[in-house]
Amino acid sequence: MCKKVFSTLIFIVGFVISVQAQQECSLAIGATESDTIIQIFQLKEEQITNLEEFKAALEIETRLLDEERKNLFENHPQSTPEDLTALGAKYKVLEERMKQVFKKYDLKLLALFNEKQYQRYVTLCQEVSRQPLVVVRE
């Protein structure tokens, strides 16, 4: 009996952890065609203008991070296991910064969504088992 309860508890804890570990639901502003986002969420003219501005700013920020990445691989020592471990750690930091840049612009666009558009986003995220980003409205 105790073994069964313990197994059930482990299963529930594992499920909760896996749900919390779901990937965030990205709009992929820099990777997705603007027309796709415009059509799916039926963006208004002002939102379309903002989307294009966000895409341009995102491109600049990601280009700078990509240059840092290239520089890291070209100039970082890679001859020992310790060098490779350090390179991996530095690369992870750059990768995380890149994810944060994409998330920042996703949040900016989501903040412009009306309630219906945001609910469409949440529904689509749920359909692909992703965690929707939460927009804090001011």
Side-chain angles (χ1 to χ4, degrees):
M1 175 69 178
C2 188
K3 194 174 191 177
K4 195 171 191 174
V5 171
F6 181 73
S7 296
T8 304
L9 182 61
I10 293 297
F11 176 77
I12 292 171
V13 169
F15 180 76
V16 169
I17 289 171
S18 71
V19 168
Q20 289 176 341
Q22 277 184 333
Q23 289 184 321
E24 290 180 331
C25 189
S26 174
L27 293 171
I29 290 174
T32 304
E33 290 293 323
S34 294
D35 289 343
T36 303
I37 295 172
I38 292 166
Q39 287 177 333
I40 290 172
F41 298 105
Q42 298 177 344
L43 299 184
K44 310 282 186 245
E45 279 303 314
E46 186 177 331
Q47 292 172 317
I48 294 170
T49 301
N50 285 312
L51 170 61
E52 295 306 324
E53 289 172 5
F54 296 159
K55 273 185 80 165
L58 176 69
E59 185 179 320
I60 291 168
E61 286 191 53
T62 56
R63 189 178 323 124
L64 293 172
L65 287 170
D66 195 45
E67 287 174 20
E68 279 187 55
R69 181 192 58 79
K70 287 177 186 173
N71 187 41
L72 177 66
F73 282 114
E74 289 173 3
N75 298 316
H76 195 281
Q78 300 177 31
S79 56
T80 67
E82 293 80 16
D83 290 341
L84 292 173
T85 301
L87 175 65
K90 290 175 182 177
Y91 179 78
K92 270 205 167 306
V93 169
L94 276 174
E95 186 179 51
E96 190 57 38
R97 286 175 49 202
M98 185 75 81
K99 288 177 187 176
Q100 291 305 315
V101 168
F102 278 98
K103 183 177 178 178
K104 174 176 75 172
Y105 287 101
D106 280 354
L107 287 169
K108 284 182 175 219
L109 183 59
L110 288 169
L112 300 175
F113 279 13
N114 62 37
E115 189 61 34
K116 187 175 178 181
Q117 290 168 323
Y118 185 74
Q119 284 309 312
R120 173 94 172 126
Y121 163 74
V122 170
T123 301
L124 290 171
C125 291
Q126 291 170 342
E127 286 178 12
V128 294
S129 300
R130 299 280 193 236
Q131 188 68 33
L133 297 173
V134 178
V135 177
V136 179
R137 304 212 186 249
E138 296 174 8

